[in-house]
Amino acid sequence: MSSRADVSPTPVILDVDTGVDDALALLLATRSPAIDLLAVSCVAGNANVDQVVRNTLLVLDTAGAVDVPVARGADRALLDPLRDARHVHGEDGMADLGLPPSTRQPSDLHAVELLRTALEQASRPVTLVPLAPMTNIALLLRTYPHVAQRIERIVFMGGAAAVGNATAAAEFNIWHDPEAAAIVLTSGLPVTMYGLDVFYDVTVDATVAAALSASEDPAAKLAGRLIAHQVQRLGGTAATIGDAGVVAAVIAPDLLTTVSHPVRIELAGTWTRGQTIVDRRAWVGDVVADPHGLPPADVDVALGIDSDRARRLFLDTVAPGLPDPGDST
Ligand code: BDR
Ligand code: CA
């Protein structure tokens, strides 16, 4: 039987490195009635953290979400030097669309302080959604360990059970700050890993991106222009919605097929630093006898996604009424 509590929006905090696909995630989160977006924290990743803050404010303004607090966080990884992904996201980290900047200022608080405050003040435990290197989250858990009890679960974009992207072994967000990821994955909190095994599966066609770009709704238009940029960069006919798939999976968890496994982060390795070692050994006897010992909690690893339904959820939410030619149902 459903009750009011069942249908109330899920309180969510996004941690982002906006980022073309982080922008799509922000648009979906702000437009979805199923999500109560409490705050957004920014971290260096796809671009430097100041650029990430500018991009994030611009996206939230475009979506009309002018009251969602945004804070600047870590400007580099815990150990590794500053790096970015301009080869994917453009010089400004968000497709170089030449959009006017937001006139809004970020919070005076550091991201770690905004995260703490938002978690403490939330009326119920919050779903924390890191879409970026997890530097801010690791700093939060180490600085204010008591706020862990205010986190319902962590659903993060990062890692891969199979191949990487930043390196052959490692996915970008984990590769960027492996120590931070290790802190989060040993926190004992319930964690879902939305990694490269599903990340590229939810795509939008170039024709749909063109229709979105022609929309009079500023949020739908921005989504279309961002997707079109990625289609053009890749020289294909469609592009992934990337981090927005994570938000779709928070809205509708049954989109994902997950398997519970121990996951460890490779912190050494000449070629494998930042790899997520998903322990898929079939015999539990080998797993418990492993000399490394067991991590405090298994991770729900996403190994499959209903990509058609996830795409429809994205389009129906960001651009209601837009026909989806990719929809064969
Ligand atoms: C991840 O890396 C970033 O470039 C994207 O925004 C996404 O979060 C994919 O590896
Ligand atoms: Ca990202």
Side-chain angles (χ1 to χ4, degrees), residues 56-256:
T56 302
L57 290 171
L58 191 161
V59 174
L60 291 176
D61 282 7
T62 306
V66 294
D67 295 328
V68 176
V70 173
R72 180 185 192 276
D75 62 4
R76 53 165 288 189
L78 296 179
L79 282 185
D80 283 340
L82 188 60
R83 331 185 247 207
D84 62 42
R86 280 179 293 179
H87 66 294
V88 175
H89 297 266
E91 284 304 305
D92 71 356
M94 211 176 75
D96 298 319
L97 299 178
L99 299 169
S102 169
T103 52
R104 174 153 83 104
Q105 293 300 312
S107 166
D108 290 337
L109 298 177
H110 187 278
V112 171
E113 299 300 331
L114 178 65
L115 287 164
R116 175 180 69 89
T117 309
L119 287 166
E120 285 177 351
Q121 292 177 353
S123 57
R124 61 186 169 109
V126 173
T127 300
L128 187 55
V129 185
L131 303 174
M134 291 197 271
T135 322
N136 285 340
I137 313 304
L139 291 169
L140 172 76
L141 293 174
R142 283 291 189 259
T143 313
Y144 300 114
H146 70 279
V147 298
Q149 65 197 17
R150 305 293 305 150
I151 298 172
E152 177 76 20
R153 63 185 179 125
I154 294 178
V155 185
F156 76 95
M157 192 287 131
V163 294
N165 58 2
T167 70
E171 181 281 330
F172 177 82
N173 289 339
I174 307 297
W175 166 81
H176 198 276
D177 197 339
E179 280 71 22
I183 288 170
V184 173
L185 262 59
T186 54
S187 66
L189 284 164
V191 172
T192 301
M193 173 173 131
Y194 185 106
L196 297 181
D197 311 290
V198 290
F199 180 80
Y200 296 112
D201 290 353
V202 187
T203 60
V204 171
D205 281 357
T207 50
V208 178
L212 286 166
S213 304
S215 169
E216 294 193 353
D217 173 60
K221 182 187 271 301
L222 177 58
R225 295 186 70 190
L226 292 168
I227 295 166
H229 169 269
Q230 293 300 60
V231 173
Q232 194 179 18
R233 180 179 66 79
L234 295 165
T237 58
T240 178
I241 63 169
D243 289 343
V246 188
V247 175
V250 170
I251 296 168
D254 64 338
L255 288 171
L256 296 180

Side-chain angles (χ1 to χ4, degrees), residues 10 42 236 283 286:
T10 303
C42 297
W283 186 47
D286 277 340

